[in-house]
């Protein structure tokens, strides 16, 4: 009985709304833009969150990165400090029990990187990094083909290389990179592995360079330090990644202890810079939180405007349909029946607006992604919850017109024509 009554109310609601399509569409616009704004905001916000987590994975949430950062003339600085070195890393590991693992990185100066492939034509010169074997684990990098180099490879100064996905594709366009050779400056290196591409949209996060692994060539640290010529006065390491134990709840004290240790070892010179990925993530989330608040306010205003539009059109319907309401009451319809009929009409409007709003939101989100080069991502539960909230707001605004209709005097309503 209830289902039959609901279907009857639904048919009446659809008939009433399609009777004046232009007015119905104009009423829907508020809901369309409101829901669309909410959907687009959630997609951009979720995409930004996932992208930031993907970028921060390369730095490592439990890592502290120490970068060589000389602030004066290198020749003068080297009289008191040798710069960041392997000895620094070993001393930190031995004296600071909260450091679980470390990886040294040396960004090499190269003027030529090529392969024997006749069609090899890199769009830009790949970077060449000499890294400790532990670098891949600390940077959450995995191999797609072949293998990574080991500590034995490192200590044997083997001329081997692991390529990022883009570097491998451009150096070996025919797709056969494993077992082939590339020439870095004047040294030949055998390709033993290709990394999985994490497909990070940006190489910068909160002002720090991240990502870029896809465009690089990685060789063992000792191989790079001993087989390739270094710049004059350059430090042994360009940077150092330190994995901090999970027992350390705060990265700040650990970072300060490491920095003070390095200042003492470098003759009082502050020639290193500390980068704490957890701090960068916190800054990014704070910025994103502000963005979400602003966008939520805009979406909320759109929904309120849409709700007011629905209330306005339903009040107009009440005025136009007084005689119909009076006739319904005269033939036995109760106040609850009248309220239900108008609530069903409001719900149909809200659901139609929400459905079109989802389509509009998807279009807006991808439009933002295209023009602003942002990433979007979708969460079905969040979208369903947001649409439910939007429909609830719209129906809430339709309660007053429905109650107004139910309170009409049947005799006065019949005489309104």
């Amino acid at each position: 009985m209830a289902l039959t009554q609901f279907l009857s109310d639904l048919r009446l609601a659809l008939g009433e709304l399609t009777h004046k399509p232009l007015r119905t569409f104009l009423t829907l616009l508020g809901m369309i833009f409101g829901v669309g704004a909410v959907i687009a905001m959630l997609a951009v916000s979720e995409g930004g969150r996932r992208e930031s987590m993907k970028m921060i994975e390369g730095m490592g949430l439990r890592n502290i990165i120490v970068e060589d950062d000389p602030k004066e003339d290198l020749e003068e600085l080297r009289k008191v400090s040798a710069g960041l070195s392997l000895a620094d890393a070993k001393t930190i590991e031995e004296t600071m029990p909260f450091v679980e693992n470390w990886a040294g990185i040396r960004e090499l100066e190269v003027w030529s990187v090529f392969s024997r492939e006749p069609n090899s034509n890199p769009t830009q010169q790949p970077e060449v990094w000499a890294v400790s074997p532990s670098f891949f684990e600390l940077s959450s990098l995995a191999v797609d083909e072949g293998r990574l180099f080991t500590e034995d490879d490192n200590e044997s100064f083997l001329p081997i290389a692991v390529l990022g996905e883009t570097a491998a594709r451009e150096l070996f366009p025919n797709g056969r990179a494993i077992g082939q050779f590339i020439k870095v400056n004047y040294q030949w290196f055998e390709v033993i592995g290709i990394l999985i591409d994490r497909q990070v949209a940006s190489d910068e996060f909160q002002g720090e360079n991240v990502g870029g692994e896809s465009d690089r060539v990685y060789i063992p640290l000792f191989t790079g330090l001993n087989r390739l010529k270094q710049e004059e006065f350059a430090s042994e390491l360009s940077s150092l990644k330190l994995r901090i134990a999970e027992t350390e709840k705060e990265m700040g004290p650990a970072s300060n202890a490491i920095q003070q240790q390095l200042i003492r070892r470098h003759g009082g010179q502050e020639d290193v810079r500390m980068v704490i990925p957890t701090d960068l993530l916190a800054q990014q989330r704070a910025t994103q939180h502000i963005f979400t608040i602003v966008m939520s306010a805009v979406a909320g205003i759109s929904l309120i405007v849409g709700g007011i539009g629905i209330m306005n059109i339903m009040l107009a319907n009440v005025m136009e349909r007084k005689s119909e309401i009076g006739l319904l009451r005269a033939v036995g319809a109760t106040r609850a029946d009248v309220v239900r009929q108008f609530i069903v009409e409001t719900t149909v409007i809200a659901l139609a607006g929400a459905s079109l709003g989802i389509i509009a939101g998807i279009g807006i989100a991808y439009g933002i992604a295209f023009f602003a080069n942002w990433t979007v991502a979708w969460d079905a539960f969040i979208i369903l919850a947001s649409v439910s909230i939007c429909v609830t707001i719209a129906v809430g605004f339709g309660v007053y017109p429905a109650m107004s209709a139910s309170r009409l005097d049947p005799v006065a309503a019949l005489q309104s024509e």
Side-chain angles (χ1 to χ4, degrees), residues 40-70:
M41 177 203 68
L42 291 172
V44 172
S45 179
E46 179 67 14
R49 186 190 68 80
R50 294 186 187 181
E51 192 66 22
S52 64
M53 289 305 300
K54 190 186 295 185
M55 288 191 287
I56 211 72
E57 279 179 4
M59 303 179 77
L61 276 175
R62 297 301 307 174
N63 292 345
I64 290 176
I65 302 171
V66 184
E67 295 183 346
D68 187 56
D69 187 32

Side-chain angles (χ1 to χ4, degrees), residues 267-290:
Q269 298 294 316
E270 296 185 19
D271 57 353
V272 296
R273 187 171 74 96
M274 313 298 290
V275 178
I276 306 176
T278 51
D279 289 352
L280 298 178
L281 184 61
Q283 294 171 17
Q284 193 273 341
R285 284 179 173 172
T287 303
Q288 188 175 11
H289 182 64
I290 295 172

Side-chain angles (χ1 to χ4, degrees), residues 2-14:
L3 179 60
T4 302
Q5 183 64 54
F6 172 76
L7 292 176
S8 176
D9 290 340
L10 182 61
R11 282 194 297 271
L12 288 172
L14 291 172

